[in-house]
Amino acid sequence: MMKELFGSPGRKSGLILRIGQCVFASASIGVMTSASGFSTATAFCYLIASMGLQVLWSFGLACLDIHALRFNKDLYNHIVVSLFVVGDWVTATLSLAAACSSAGVMVLFTKDTNFCIVKTKFSCGMFQISIAFAFMSWFLLAISSYIMFWLVASI
């Protein structure tokens, strides 16, 4: 029998985590795509792609949580939870890599080259906000990944 932890699949806390991941990833995409000049850095495009995958993954699992809550379904199945673990780890790795690479580009733009001061048409502030949203989405995903790992370990 699996333990019921905060953020477990099929629980309200799990649904809240997934919705938070989806909202922050969507916000990251929205802010980045509305910023002028985002396509100049491959890292920013990778961030959009990674957050797009995060939105799809989190939205799909949020829908599954809603279904489980609405119809009182049990999602504590070894195969289902193992799939959640692998999916969470993959998306968490991609999300963290994208957020870190984008943050590295921003350090280069703001501290090392003064690119943001020289090129005023670029929305460097919006880039930073988008990256912050990506890190927040990743943090919530890291919590979910940790919970899923402990659920699988308790089987």
Side-chain angles (χ1 to χ4, degrees):
M1 175 106 186
M2 290 189 211
K3 298 177 185 175
E4 286 199 26
L5 301 171
F6 171 84
S8 296
R11 294 189 64 190
K12 289 179 185 176
S13 57
L15 176 62
I16 291 168
L17 276 174
R18 297 299 178 179
I19 289 172
Q21 293 163 17
C22 193
V23 166
F24 282 121
S26 297
S28 177
I29 293 169
V31 172
M32 184 63 78
T33 56
S34 65
S36 62
F38 78 89
S39 61
T40 59
T42 306
F44 297 156
C45 295
Y46 174 53
L47 181 71
I48 292 170
S50 175
M51 290 296 107
L53 176 64
Q54 178 63 43
V55 167
L56 292 174
W57 176 253
S58 297
F59 181 74
L61 293 184
C63 289
L64 191 59
D65 281 339
I66 290 169
H67 176 76
L69 287 167
R70 186 168 184 208
F71 296 108
N72 204 19
K73 297 284 184 179
D74 183 18
L75 295 180
Y76 291 93
N77 177 321
H78 180 69
I79 295 170
V80 171
V81 174
S82 296
L83 176 67
F84 288 176
V85 168
V86 172
D88 278 351
W89 284 354
V90 168
T91 54
T93 302
L94 293 173
S95 296
L96 182 61
C100 288
S101 64
S102 296
V105 169
M106 279 312 302
V107 168
L108 179 72
F109 280 3
T110 58
K111 303 289 183 190
D112 298 337
T113 63
N114 293 326
F115 185 83
C116 291
I117 296 170
V118 175
K119 304 278 186 177
T120 57
K121 71 175 187 166
F122 289 103
S123 305
C124 290
M126 291 182 74
F127 296 158
Q128 292 171 343
I129 292 168
S130 174
I131 294 165
F133 282 145
F135 274 113
M136 286 185 259
S137 179
W138 170 80
F139 179 73
L140 293 175
L141 181 59
I143 293 170
S144 294
S145 298
Y146 184 74
I147 291 165
M148 292 301 140
F149 172 77
W150 284 109
L151 285 175
V152 169
S154 70
I155 297 176

